Amino acid sequence: MPVPDATASLKAPESYFLACIAGPDRGKRVRIDTAAIHIGSTPECQLLTDDPDIVGPFARVELSGQRVIIESLSATRPLVDGHRVERAELLAWQQVRMGRSLWEVHATVGASSVFDFVHRVGDHLSNAAGIEKPAEWNAREMFTEAAKRHEDEEIEAYFTVGTTFTTPSLGEIDTTWPRPWVFLRVCALSLALYWGFSFAWSTFENVNLIPGLIMIGSVAVPLSLLIFFFEMNVPRNISLYQIIKLLLTGGLVSIVASLFLFDWTRGLSSWLGAASAGLVEETGKVLTLLLVVRKTRFRWTLNGLLLGATVGTGFAVFESAGYALRAALSDGGIQAMRDVIFQRGVLSVLGGHVLWTGLAGAALWRVRGDQPFQREMLWDPRFLRVLGLCMIMHMVWNSGITMPVFGAYGKFFALGAAAWLLVLGMIQSGLRQVRDEQGREAVRRTGATAIATA
């Protein structure tokens, strides 16, 4: 348990937070205010729980004056100091158990800073999506392999996964945070190729080089992001062949589906303008995921993250190539085309189709789990919350909204931070899913061994 600063006890706390420090909801955090916060597993709850022991509304937490009050909404009451309570007052740093999860009241004292503001925004964003905050993530450790030297043979072996002989068993899956490095090699190679085409064009101005410029320029960054998600897929059960097949077919199907939706919703487009793409294109890409969501061997949340990112990559590549060609045929010519390629490539790191569709895919697979897919799963609040946020981010991205910081790119930096916060939280949730299944498998094996020896 954290020890509060001695000087803090002399002042009244300015704000309270409820943070889960252990159990299925570990990493989730919510600010406690005078407006009651309902915790549970139903759509009307402001804080959705992933705890399997909690069914329906479970508890209500609110701030009354300077007192944190928790009130039970379920027959299975919260545990405070080892006792089940109907209603209780919680002190700063006191713990309460709800289901299998252990929560703790955190108090802050002193002037708020920009970091406090960012932290609160992250809390609200994670709670709105029903995704835990990435409390286990460490950027320095995550990218330690990126600076090391790796031979080509390592990369070849790295991609030899997903077959009957190369998919690890459940017990062999490494559930520590992955340390990706191949995506940087792919990015460097792609950018070098694009520079080569640009140099050749500047030297010879041969129109036969333009398709290469468009193709490599449109692929470079989205493909590198896709490789990142490939490395995040620790079950290693999706082959490179499956990725390439879905990239091509999914990219085409999602674009065609979106064009049909645009045609059917012309009134919406005329009302919202470019922002309507947030509703239409995200729906088109999710419909495309139905091509693979029925494959029960892809049962992990991390599988959905990768498959969603694959569809998003196909969409992004084909769309960027189209915008680049349109710019090349405009009055701006080749320079306008190169500007479009550069801008879309840089901005895709901050957000865009790869991240948004990856999040939607992870949320859908998290709902499906190891069960056969049913259409009712598309209406599960755990999926709809994430999809709704992706739609909102896409709409804001396309809108004329600006921010007073970071100039013209302030909006994109903010949206990028939000998207990556959710992505890292989803990766953490996916790793915990595999870890929990490994624990259950170990218990089953222990039980079977005990029966066999009895």
Side-chain angles (χ1 to χ4, degrees):
M1 178 187 299
V3 178
D5 183 75
T7 59
S9 62
L10 302 177
K11 304 177 183 179
E14 293 188 355
S15 57
Y16 290 94
F17 295 87
L18 188 65
C20 185
I21 60 174
D25 286 326
R26 182 181 176 185
K28 292 187 178 181
R29 189 171 182 264
V30 64
R31 183 184 177 91
I32 305 171
D33 211 333
T34 52
I37 299 166
H38 292 77
I39 303 171
S41 58
T42 51
E44 64 269 16
C45 294
Q46 288 77 34
L47 178 58
L48 279 178
T49 176
D50 294 320
D51 199 309
D53 285 358
I54 295 179
V55 179
F58 184 80
R60 178 171 60 202
V61 180
E62 61 183 333
L63 191 63
S64 178
Q66 287 297 318
R67 299 183 305 160
V68 176
I69 305 298
I70 184 169
E71 185 175 349
S72 177
L73 301 176
S74 170
T76 308
R77 299 173 182 175
L79 278 167
V80 178
D81 295 332
H83 301 284
R84 297 201 178 275
V85 298
E86 180 70 30
R87 189 176 187 275
E89 177 182 345
L90 300 176
L91 303 176
W93 313 108
Q94 191 167 16
Q95 295 177 348
V96 54
R97 181 169 292 279
M98 292 184 277
R100 301 181 189 177
S101 302
L102 184 63
W103 298 75
E104 187 173 68
V105 177
H106 291 176
T108 60
V109 178
S112 298
S113 66
V114 65
F115 299 103
D116 296 327
F117 173 75
V118 171
H119 202 64
R120 289 197 299 269
V121 171
D123 291 338
H124 291 306
L125 185 65
S126 298
N127 292 331
I131 301 174
E132 59 190 71
K133 291 186 67 176
E136 301 173 5
W137 176 64
N138 186 304
R140 182 178 298 178
E141 292 183 6
M142 185 176 183
F143 296 108
T144 51
E145 291 294 322
K148 296 180 181 179
R149 180 180 177 83
H150 296 276
E151 302 297 333
D152 288 345
E153 291 77 9
E154 286 186 78
I155 299 179
E156 292 171 357
Y158 208 75
F159 286 107
T160 310
V161 298
T163 68
T164 306
F165 305 102
T166 57
T167 300
S169 64
L170 178 61
E172 295 173 332
I173 297 176
D174 183 2
T175 56
T176 59
W177 269 85
R179 298 181 177 181
W181 55 273
V182 178
F183 80 100
L184 284 177
R185 303 295 194 278
V186 173
C187 185
L189 176 61
S190 300
L191 294 178
L193 289 173
Y194 182 70
W195 179 88
F197 274 103
S198 297
F199 174 79
W201 168 258
S202 300
T203 304
F204 304 106
E205 293 191 355
N206 189 317
V207 294
N208 292 334
L209 296 169
I210 294 178
L213 272 169
I214 294 176
M215 181 177 67
I216 299 299
S218 301
V219 164
V221 178
L223 180 62
S224 302
L225 288 172
L226 177 60
I227 298 302
F228 172 84
F229 287 110
F230 181 85
E231 296 184 83
M232 292 296 104
N233 183 46
V234 297
R236 315 294 285 168
N237 60 336
I238 302 179
S239 67
L240 190 59
Y241 163 71
Q242 295 287 347
I243 295 298
I244 294 174
K245 182 173 72 171
L246 183 61
L247 177 97
L248 298 175
T249 59
L252 174 61
V253 171
S254 59
I255 284 182
V256 172
S258 297
L259 290 174
F260 272 117
L261 290 172
F262 273 121
D263 193 46
W264 294 337
T265 58
R266 290 180 181 176
L268 182 66
S269 300
S270 61
W271 176 45
L272 292 176
S276 65
L279 301 175
V280 173
E281 292 178 358
E282 296 308 316
T283 301
K285 289 180 291 180
V286 165
L287 292 176
T288 305
L289 286 174
L290 299 182
L291 295 173
V292 288
V293 73
R294 298 181 184 276
K295 295 185 178 182
T296 54
R297 70 188 182 100
F298 302 146
R299 64 186 179 114
W300 305 106
T301 297
L302 294 173
N303 294 165
L305 185 67
L306 173 58
L307 295 171
T310 303
V311 171
T313 299
F315 192 103
V317 168
F318 294 151
E319 184 183 55
S320 293
Y323 278 118
L325 177 60
R326 180 182 297 180
L329 298 176
S330 69
D331 294 338
I334 302 303
Q335 185 56 48
M337 178 197 76
R338 294 171 68 176
D339 291 342
V340 167
I341 289 174
F342 177 80
Q343 184 182 53
R344 290 183 65 86
V346 170
L347 291 180
S348 62
V349 178
L350 300 175
H353 299 293
V354 183
L355 301 187
W356 299 330
T357 316
L359 283 168
L364 182 57
W365 259 255
R366 184 172 64 161
V367 171
R368 199 208 71 179
D370 56 1
Q371 302 298 317
F373 173 74
Q374 298 178 5
R375 285 179 295 179
E376 291 76 12
M377 294 177 177
L378 293 172
W379 309 113
D380 191 292
R382 291 173 295 171
F383 167 67
L384 290 179
R385 284 190 175 198
V386 176
L387 177 61
L389 277 176
C390 291
M391 287 179 170
I392 292 172
M393 287 190 286
H394 194 161
M395 292 175 71
V396 174
W397 186 282
N398 283 16
S399 72
I401 296 174
T402 59
M403 294 183 64
V405 293
F406 299 114
Y409 290 95
K411 172 178 68 176
F412 303 113
F413 281 115
L415 291 171
W420 278 109
L421 175 69
L422 296 178
V423 165
L424 293 171
M426 196 66 84
I427 293 172
Q428 179 174 279
S429 178
L431 292 172
R432 184 168 293 117
Q433 178 195 24
V434 180
R435 201 177 302 139
D436 290 344
E437 184 60 30
Q438 287 177 333
R440 286 190 285 269
E441 178 67 17
V443 170
R444 286 193 291 267
R445 287 182 178 178
T446 302
T449 302
I451 294 173
T453 56

